[in-house]
Amino acid sequence: AFLDADDEYLPHAIEMFRAARDQCPEACVIFGDSQQGGGAPVAVAPRGAVHPVPDYFAYLLGKGAHEANSSSVMIRKSAIEAAGLFPPGVRIGEDTDTWMRLGCLFAFARIDAPVSVYHMADGQSLWQTRQGTDPFWYQTYARWRDEGRIPPERRRTAARYVQFSKLQIVIFQARSGQRAAAFRRLLGDVNWLTAPKPMLAKAILIAVFPGILGWKRRAL
């Protein structure tokens, strides 16, 4: 289990991880949510239900899915060694790159409750400075795809999630005043055949009419 230097575990976090491991022994990665930290005292989270996540990409494509982060995850040592450790020298997105590789190979389980507190004392983290640009894990995905390292049962959902992520960038660019960049990505980088159709329709609509839908920033 990992804990970033500026974050903290909630009470019983490790106990919840251990209980989830015992309940879902097939899962090699277990993750929960993180509460946003600030000046106010952090409430003790209730202990949530545990849900198997056999396909992490299918889960991320689901409505309202929460991504893992490095302060809310527990991983079997043998699994992270098999998938490869955190990529050396990568300062932004090294965690999502690691989750992507693990998602190609192993089953996950999700704790339906916060297990940690995510602090941003200065109101900004490094990933926010990279919003609207390609994350590092795109390179790893392309390499694994071309080398045939993604198992057949994960290829479709992994490919769809890549396109989903690209459409998130299109929406960010369009709503940030970068409409030309959004259209270039939409027309030249997004695979319309593979992309989830509801997300594709939303991205096209927002690229054409940036103010038509309410929007909330989301980490890529």
Side-chain angles (χ1 to χ4, degrees):
F2 311 95
L3 185 64
D4 285 354
D6 54 348
D7 297 340
E8 61 182 303
Y9 281 139
L10 288 168
H12 312 302
I14 297 297
E15 186 178 342
M16 285 193 287
F17 279 138
R18 289 167 60 96
R21 179 197 62 185
D22 294 342
Q23 185 173 332
C24 296
E26 74 284 357
C28 290
V29 181
I30 298 168
F31 68 103
D33 294 336
S34 288
Q35 293 183 186
Q36 197 72 29
V42 176
V44 176
R47 305 190 190 191
V50 178
H51 305 284
V53 180
D55 185 331
Y56 184 55
F57 303 113
Y59 162 81
L60 291 175
L61 289 165
K63 185 176 180 180
H66 295 273
E67 298 180 1
N69 69 66
S70 53
S71 294
S72 68
V73 66
M74 184 175 76
I75 307 171
R76 289 190 185 276
K77 181 181 177 182
S78 59
I80 197 168
E81 288 177 339
L85 305 178
F86 292 97
V90 179
R91 297 181 63 240
I92 303 173
E94 72 282 2
D95 51 352
T96 52
D97 184 86
T98 306
W99 314 155
M100 187 281 298
R101 286 179 274 113
L102 286 161
C104 287
L105 301 176
F106 300 106
F108 287 40
R110 168 174 159 73
I111 301 170
D112 191 17
V115 295
S116 64
V117 183
Y118 180 74
H119 289 288
M120 287 198 302
D122 60 356
Q124 180 168 297
S125 63
L126 285 174
W127 69 260
Q128 289 176 309
T129 67
R130 296 282 296 173
Q131 288 287 279
T133 62
D134 287 355
F136 178 78
W137 67 266
Y138 282 8
Q139 302 174 40
T140 304
Y141 165 79
R143 186 175 72 252
W144 275 45
R145 179 199 60 202
D146 296 345
E147 294 174 355
R149 299 178 66 181
I150 302 176
E153 64 272 17
R154 294 284 195 281
R155 290 173 188 167
R156 180 176 180 274
T157 52
R160 280 171 56 82
Y161 184 67
V162 171
Q163 300 307 313
F164 179 87
S165 175
K166 290 182 177 182
L167 291 170
Q168 286 183 305
I169 298 176
V170 169
I171 292 172
F172 178 89
Q173 291 174 326
R175 300 306 286 272
S176 301
Q178 306 172 57
R179 293 184 68 196
F183 276 111
R184 283 196 300 271
R185 186 178 295 272
L186 186 60
L187 298 175
D189 189 33
V190 173
N191 185 325
W192 289 34
L193 295 177
T194 306
K197 297 306 181 285
M199 188 65 169
L200 177 61
K202 179 179 178 180
I204 293 172
L205 187 63
I206 292 177
V208 176
F209 304 106
I212 197 169
L213 296 174
W215 177 68
K216 180 179 180 181
R217 294 191 181 193
R218 178 178 175 183
L220 298 177

